[in-house]
């Protein structure tokens, strides 16, 4: 069933028309190993008729006079074949010229950049709105972009990069991208040098790594709320978009900021956690495994703990927020200084 597939890939999007008789439409866009786009959909109740597919590099603009393909709605799937691996395509699906849905593949295929994906297409808990495609991206550090990846990144038209790495990280691996305004808001990883030394000396176990990550996540709330508040303010200016959030691997500091942004937009917690967990599917730890090949099994398990995400971490930090502030909404307003006016501005910019 497509519903289970949608849940697995955390790419569920819904569309509901103005009347109570409007169908529920779920859509999913993936890319195969060649680079073709696989578009899937489900309607409830089942709908008959013709689906038209429109294609564009800009999710805000489609030429509806030139469909790129047709399909029977009951088929539930179609493929857009392309040999273009440099630009990014978005799709407008038309169901009987009555219901429309914009979709894209959330992950962006790159050679040298880890965990690049976007937050478009997430549905709100109320009012049936979704996050805009092509506006907010997230990734690992931009310190060693290949020539092809630089072109791919340029094609995303990023105007602003929010770099959440600490000063020491930036000094060791400067951000190698000059086509955007860089907003550096340092959120350092404390004692990382000590952790690396302990791993190399085989004095750190998996459990130690878990405790280290837990301490870091709790500091996001206790020590770095002002920095995250400053980062969220970047999203209040329309001229800053599209925006790319990044840190070392795009999973922890970037994951936390993305989660708070999605909470502010009214996205359900279940969806936010799935977006957070998707880092495990988008980080290639193969090169890290190669680097760790001569280390002990304990050391390799510890490294795996440090370079992956688990639901326990985001659950821990949400529990701390609710303990300290009463609710995530109160944390957004008191801890991150997101007034109702600011949240309305975010929703005006990022939801449709």
């Amino acid at each position: 069933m497509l519903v289970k597939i949608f849940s697995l890939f955390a790419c569920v999007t819904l569309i509901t028309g103005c009347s109570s008789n409007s169908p529920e439409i779920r859509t999913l866009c993936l890319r195969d190993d060649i680079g073709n786009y696989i578009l899937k959909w489900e309607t409830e109740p089942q709908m008959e008729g013709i689906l038209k597919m429109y294609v564009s590099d800009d999710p805000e603009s489609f030429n509806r006079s030139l469909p790129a393909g047709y399909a029977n709605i009951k088929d539930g799937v179609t493929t857009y074949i392309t040999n273009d691996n440099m630009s990014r395509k978005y799709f407008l699906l038309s169901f009987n010229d009555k219901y429309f849905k914009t979709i894209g593949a959330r992950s962006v295929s790159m050679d040298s950049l880890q965990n690049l994906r976007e937050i478009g297409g997430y549905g709100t808990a109320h009012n049936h709105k979704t996050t805009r495609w092509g506006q907010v991206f997230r990734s690992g550090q931009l310190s060693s972009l290949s020539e092809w990846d630089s072109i791919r990144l340029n094609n995303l038209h990023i105007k602003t990069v929010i770099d959440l790495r600490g000063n020491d990280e930036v000094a060791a691996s400067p951000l190698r991208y000059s086509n955007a305004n860089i907003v550096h808001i340092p959120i350092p990883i404390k004692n990382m040098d000590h952790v690396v030394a302990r791993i190399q000396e085989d004095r750190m176990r998996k459990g130690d790594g878990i405790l280290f990550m837990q301490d870091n996540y709790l500091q996001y709330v206790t020590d770095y709320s002002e920095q995250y508040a400053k980062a969220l303010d970047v999203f209040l200016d329309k001229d800053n978009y599209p925006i790319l959030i990044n840190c070392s691997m795009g999973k922890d500091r970037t994951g936390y900021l993305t989660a708070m942004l999605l909470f502010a937009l009214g996205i359900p917690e279940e969806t936010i956690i799935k977006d957070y967990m998707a880092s495990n599917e988008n980080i290639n730890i193969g090169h890290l495994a190669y680097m760790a090949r001569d280390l002990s099994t304990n050391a390799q398990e510890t490294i795996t703990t440090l370079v992956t995400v688990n639901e326990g971490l985001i659950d821990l930090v949400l529990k701390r927020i609710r303990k300290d502030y009463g609710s995530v909404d109160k944390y957004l307003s008191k801890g991150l200084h997101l007034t109702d006016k600011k949240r309305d501005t975010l929703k005006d910019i990022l939801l449709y």
Side-chain angles (χ1 to χ4, degrees), residues 156-174:
L156 299 181
H157 308 293
I158 302 296
K159 287 186 180 179
T160 306
V161 174
I162 301 175
D163 189 351
L164 299 176
R165 295 177 300 156
N167 293 326
D168 290 346
E169 294 172 271
V170 174
S173 301

Side-chain angles (χ1 to χ4, degrees), residues 15 57 85 95 121 135 138 140 153 170 193 228 245 257 289 340:
I15 180 171
D57 293 347
N85 282 316
F95 296 81
Q135 296 302 302
R138 49 176 298 178
L153 203 56
V170 174
D193 290 342
Y228 281 111
I245 313 165
L257 177 57
D340 289 343

Side-chain angles (χ1 to χ4, degrees), residues 35 228 231 236 261:
Y228 281 111
L236 298 173
L261 177 63

Side-chain angles (χ1 to χ4, degrees), residues 87-345:
S87 63
R88 178 166 169 75
K89 303 300 182 185
Y90 295 93
F91 303 88
L92 178 67
L93 303 185
S94 166
F95 296 81
N96 292 328
D97 292 326
K98 185 175 182 181
Y99 306 104
F100 299 85
K101 189 65 191 176
T102 301
I103 65 172
R106 187 154 290 121
S107 299
V108 184
S109 178
M110 302 289 272
D111 301 321
S112 59
L113 179 57
Q114 291 273 16
N115 205 10
L116 179 59
R117 47 200 172 94
E118 67 166 292
I119 67 167
Y122 286 138
T124 59
H126 308 287
N127 70 26
H128 308 298
K129 292 188 175 182
T130 60
T131 50
R132 289 184 179 274
W133 289 98
Q135 296 302 302
V136 179
F137 295 83
R138 49 176 298 178
S139 76
Q141 64 187 22
L142 311 179
S143 58
S144 57
L145 288 175
S146 68
E147 180 180 355
W148 293 118
D149 280 353
S150 293
I151 296 172
R152 293 185 180 105
L153 203 56
N154 289 340
N155 288 338
L156 299 181
H157 308 293
I158 302 296
K159 287 186 180 179
T160 306
V161 174
I162 301 175
D163 189 351
L164 299 176
R165 295 177 300 156
N167 293 326
D168 290 346
E169 294 172 271
V170 174
S173 301
L175 194 152
R176 307 291 187 186
Y177 190 67
S178 59
N179 291 345
N181 177 41
I182 310 302
V183 179
H184 182 214
I185 302 175
I187 300 175
I189 303 175
K190 296 179 180 179
N191 301 317
M192 192 63 199
D193 290 342
H194 179 62
V195 168
V196 171
R198 287 183 63 191
I199 291 174
Q200 292 173 336
E201 296 166 4
D202 199 20
R203 294 190 298 110
M204 191 169 186
R205 301 294 183 263
K206 178 180 178 180
D208 300 322
I210 292 173
L211 290 175
F212 174 75
M213 294 303 299
Q214 289 175 343
D215 288 341
N216 273 282
Y217 270 68
L218 291 176
Q219 288 169 12
Y220 297 160
V221 182
T222 60
D223 296 357
Y224 295 119
S225 287
E226 291 299 322
Q227 285 87 334
Y228 281 111
K230 182 179 179 181
L232 284 172
D233 280 346
V234 176
F235 294 91
L236 298 173
D237 188 343
K238 288 184 178 180
D239 292 336
N240 289 336
Y241 289 86
I243 296 172
L244 170 65
I245 313 165
N246 88 121
C247 59
S248 57
M249 298 188 73
K251 68 183 185 72
D252 300 313
R253 290 163 289 187
T254 293
Y256 183 75
L257 177 57
T258 303
M260 293 305 110
L261 177 63
L262 292 173
F263 271 118
L265 294 171
I267 306 303
E269 184 172 320
E270 180 183 4
T271 301
I272 294 171
I273 291 175
K274 287 179 180 178
D275 178 83
Y276 167 80
M277 291 297 296
S279 283
N280 287 338
E281 301 161 18
N282 288 279
I283 293 176
N284 178 7
I285 63 173
H287 69 294
L288 297 172
Y290 175 80
M291 293 168 60
R293 68 192 186 282
D294 296 326
L295 298 177
S296 69
T297 300
N298 283 327
Q300 293 181 27
E301 290 180 348
T302 302
I303 290 173
T304 300
T305 298
L306 298 179
V307 300
T308 56
V309 295
N310 69 76
E311 195 168 329
L313 289 172
I314 191 69
D315 183 60
L316 175 71
V317 78
L318 291 176
K319 285 181 178 177
R320 182 57 184 262
I321 286 173
R322 290 176 173 125
K323 177 183 177 182
D324 290 354
Y325 292 88
S327 68
V328 176
D329 277 342
K330 289 181 180 178
Y331 172 65
L332 291 173
S333 62
K334 295 180 179 179
L336 300 181
H337 313 306
L338 272 182
T339 63
D340 289 343
K341 182 178 180 180
K342 286 184 176 181
R343 290 185 70 171
D344 287 343
T345 298

